[in-house]
Amino acid sequence: MSAPIPSETVSPILTPDQLVAVQHRRYATKKYDPSRTIAPELWAALEETLVYSPSSTGIQPWRFLVVSKETRQKLLPASGHNQQIVSDASHLVVFLARRELTAADAERHVANFISIRHMEGQVAQNLRERQLGFMSGLPADFDAFQYSAFQVYIALGNLLTSAALLGLDSTPIGGFSPAAYDEILGLNGTPYRSVVLATVGYHAADDANAKAEKVRFPKDQLIQYV
């Protein structure tokens, strides 16, 4: 992948109309063309969007499993009503969230932050104290998995939008058996649990949803200025 472009040099790549057109084009694909595979350079770009997805405090409490075609066959019985798209799409991503968050997770994040930003001395110490203070100050009823799962959905949205920008089709999938997926993927006993899925690829020519009109409430019912 090319080096990141400094933010001060970035200018709009899409016009407002083009951006809205991409949002109108994106839809939950119900039937994929199994003969079409995403080119490696396009998939590499989507992996970058997952890596650079934002998370609360930047702690990145997730993992993303890109599942092979062979393993997908084992997952089919646990894939709810979306079995065929799990098999036929070019790629399947299983989004995982941390079961727990501890001071060790915060320390790992801080160490990575300090290394990348080349921080030293008191500046680095202040960052460490803030992050560890956040972790130690969590309420007694804090649900680490729920917190992490909320962050995972940010990454999911980022992937779906990025796929649409590249002219690819995608489907978010919540109707599967996380427990069965965890068993098949060997996640039991690990720090991570499955939360949601996404398939990415190219829709089939006869996918009924491809040309269906978008169903959304009017903007004035959804957006308010206060």
Side-chain angles (χ1 to χ4, degrees):
M1 297 301 294
S2 59
I5 301 173
S7 58
E8 62 270 15
T9 68
V10 173
S11 58
I13 297 172
L14 300 177
T15 66
D17 285 345
Q18 288 172 329
L19 178 60
V20 172
V22 169
Q23 297 296 332
H24 279 276
R25 178 193 172 280
R26 193 216 61 78
Y27 74 101
T29 300
K30 298 301 183 184
K31 188 174 183 180
Y32 286 88
D33 182 346
S35 70
R36 300 189 66 185
T37 302
I38 298 171
E41 63 273 18
L42 294 182
W43 183 252
L46 290 181
E47 288 187 347
E48 291 289 306
T49 70
L50 290 172
V51 170
Y52 285 96
S53 293
S55 63
S56 176
T57 75
I59 201 167
Q60 306 154 74
W62 49 42
R63 288 290 186 275
F64 311 108
L65 296 186
V66 183
V67 186
S68 69
K69 286 276 191 178
E70 179 182 0
T71 301
R72 285 190 239 174
Q73 295 304 311
K74 301 175 184 177
L75 294 172
L76 286 180
S79 300
H81 298 296
N82 299 288
Q83 290 188 21
Q84 200 59 43
I85 65 173
V86 165
S87 174
D88 289 347
S90 173
H91 286 68
L92 169 68
V93 181
V94 182
F95 291 74
L96 312 180
R98 293 279 304 191
R99 298 173 188 270
E100 301 291 343
L101 288 173
T102 66
D105 297 306
E107 182 60 47
R108 177 172 173 269
H109 167 56
V110 169
N112 190 46
F113 196 107
I114 289 173
S115 174
I116 291 174
R117 295 280 179 93
H118 306 290
M119 300 170 71
E120 297 178 342
Q122 192 60 47
V123 174
Q125 183 59 29
N126 290 345
L127 172 67
R128 178 174 283 106
E129 290 176 357
R130 285 198 305 272
Q131 189 70 34
L132 295 179
F134 167 76
M135 293 301 297
S136 63
L138 294 172
D141 61 350
F142 176 74
D143 187 327
F145 174 70
Q146 184 183 63
Y147 170 86
S148 298
F150 287 161
Q151 310 310 309
V152 161
Y153 277 92
I154 298 174
L156 171 66
N158 202 20
L159 178 69
L160 299 179
T161 298
S162 298
L165 287 167
L166 292 177
L168 301 170
D169 299 302
S170 62
T171 313
I173 302 171
F176 71 108
S177 171
Y181 262 61
D182 290 352
E183 175 69 27
I184 295 166
L185 295 172
L187 295 173
N188 292 335
T190 75
Y192 296 93
R193 291 169 54 188
S194 56
V195 175
V196 68
L197 318 175
T199 49
V200 189
Y202 296 92
H203 70 266
D206 58 346
D207 180 15
N209 272 13
K211 296 182 180 180
E213 190 171 355
K214 281 277 192 182
V215 179
R216 296 291 189 273
F217 289 110
K219 182 168 64 175
D220 60 6
Q221 294 184 24
L222 300 176
I223 300 175
Q224 296 179 328
Y225 289 82
V226 297

